[in-house]
Amino acid sequence: MKTRLYLAAVAMLLVGAPQVLKADDDDASEEFLTKISAGVDYKVSKGFHLTATEEIRLYDFGFNRSVTTLGVNYKVNKWFRIGADYNLIGIKTTDYDEDYDPSTITYTDWRHRFGVNFTESFKRGQFTFSLRERFQATYDTEDINTYQRPQTALHLRTRLKISYRPAAGSVQPYLSVEPKILLNGCKWDSNSTTSSYASSEYKGNSDIYLTRLRTRLGAEWKINKKSAIDFYALYDYLRDKDIDSKKNSAVLKQAITTETANRFGIGVGYVFSF
């Protein structure tokens, strides 16, 4: 198990470093993210916990979304933990009102997300190494164009985390890296990115690619046995495909391009355990 974690750490660095370098592209957009959350952790029995969290996210200091999470976690043994959760996501969305153009309307785009986690961890001296594999499915309740993006997006997130527990004190710093991979993107043939895009053929939800690489640096402060606060800063390299097609037929309106963005952010989270 330890060998797999070390190999995963090396692989993530080899894969992640080139992507971070790409984020310096002058054409990439930038945004700032602020995350604020509060939650509870209820210990049902030894190793078995129920959790609930409420989080709000601000993009460029304006409200963007709320995320309500209900979860369950079970510690199988000292190095392996499994978990599952449900997320209700409400995203503030602005769109044009076709009846009153150019007026805009603001509404909430609701999404339902289900996830499962598998986490391996081990300690070496004052350090703890953990590798979390997370599979999640996010259902969008809007009537979307499924030739551009899937109604239910499937993602795989692999997080490597290294934390340090000092011999004395209640603050535990950590560093984590996490790539996020879309497993069922809308796939078009090779003509989709050339001048002959109009003759491109839709291949279904079989495209797999990296959509985000997140690096997070933080510190967990255990105030007492029941209360803890997590302070952190993060950097996201974002990458996605811009697909513009007709909604009712598999016909592209323009060539597919790849958009990138740099996201910087800070966050704070409070957890009460009982």
Side-chain angles (χ1 to χ4, degrees), residues 9 18 30 40 45 52 65 67 87 90 148 182 199 205 223 230 239:
E30 294 187 356
V40 293
S45 60
R65 70 187 62 188
V67 182
N87 303 264
Q148 298 180 169
L182 178 64
S199 62
N205 296 110
I223 303 173
D230 182 14
R239 178 179 178 274

Side-chain angles (χ1 to χ4, degrees), residues 225-248:
K225 290 183 178 181
K226 292 187 176 182
S227 297
I229 298 180
D230 182 14
F231 299 96
Y232 56 89
L234 61 84
Y235 166 72
D236 291 338
Y237 167 66
L238 305 172
R239 178 179 178 274
D240 205 356
K241 295 185 177 182
D242 184 13
I243 303 175
D244 188 6
S245 72
K246 293 184 179 180
K247 186 174 183 179
N248 298 318

Side-chain angles (χ1 to χ4, degrees), residues 62-74:
F63 176 78
N64 174 263
R65 70 187 62 188
S66 64
V67 182
T68 303
T69 303
L70 300 175
V72 56
N73 295 282
Y74 180 67

Side-chain angles (χ1 to χ4, degrees), residues 167-266:
S170 56
V171 177
Q172 181 174 317
Y174 65 86
L175 173 67
S176 66
V177 179
E178 181 186 64
K180 180 180 180 182
I181 299 174
L182 178 64
L183 302 176
N184 65 331
C186 296
K187 188 175 182 63
W188 295 75
D189 64 22
S190 58
N191 293 331
S192 63
T193 56
T194 67
S195 58
S196 57
Y197 65 85
S199 62
S200 298
E201 182 181 355
Y202 178 65
K203 298 293 187 178
N205 296 110
S206 58
D207 204 3
I208 301 175
Y209 58 91
L210 175 75
T211 60
R212 186 185 74 195
L213 180 65
R214 168 167 292 177
T215 303
R216 179 164 157 170
L217 177 65
E220 298 174 351
W221 176 28
K222 190 171 183 180
I223 303 173
N224 52 47
K225 290 183 178 181
K226 292 187 176 182
S227 297
I229 298 180
D230 182 14
F231 299 96
Y232 56 89
L234 61 84
Y235 166 72
D236 291 338
Y237 167 66
L238 305 172
R239 178 179 178 274
D240 205 356
K241 295 185 177 182
D242 184 13
I243 303 175
D244 188 6
S245 72
K246 293 184 179 180
K247 186 174 183 179
N248 298 318
S249 60
V251 178
L252 287 179
K253 296 181 181 180
Q254 62 183 26
I256 295 176
T257 58
T258 299
E259 296 183 340
T260 61
N262 300 314
R263 177 191 290 159
F264 303 90
I266 57 174

Side-chain angles (χ1 to χ4, degrees), residues 33 59 83 100 143 145 147 167 211 242:
L33 168 66
Y59 282 179
Y100 299 96
D143 180 21
N145 185 341
Y147 293 115
T211 60
D242 184 13

Side-chain angles (χ1 to χ4, degrees), residues 7-20 117 130-136 154-161 175-183 208-216 235-239:
L7 291 176
V10 174
M12 290 176 68
L13 289 174
L14 292 176
V15 173
Q19 299 296 343
V20 172
N117 307 301
S130 66
L131 179 65
R132 185 191 71 177
E133 295 286 359
R134 174 176 171 82
F135 175 79
Q136 63 184 40
L154 306 178
H155 286 94
L156 177 65
R157 296 165 56 179
T158 302
R159 186 193 70 186
L160 173 70
K161 181 179 180 181
L175 173 67
S176 66
V177 179
E178 181 186 64
K180 180 180 180 182
I181 299 174
L182 178 64
L183 302 176
I208 301 175
Y209 58 91
L210 175 75
T211 60
R212 186 185 74 195
L213 180 65
R214 168 167 292 177
T215 303
R216 179 164 157 170
Y235 166 72
D236 291 338
Y237 167 66
L238 305 172
R239 178 179 178 274

Side-chain angles (χ1 to χ4, degrees), residues 48-75:
F48 181 48
H49 292 247
L50 299 177
T51 61
T53 305
E54 185 65 30
E55 177 181 280
I56 61 171
R57 300 181 188 177
L58 312 177
Y59 282 179
D60 294 329
F61 304 103
F63 176 78
N64 174 263
R65 70 187 62 188
S66 64
V67 182
T68 303
T69 303
L70 300 175
V72 56
N73 295 282
Y74 180 67
K75 188 174 183 179

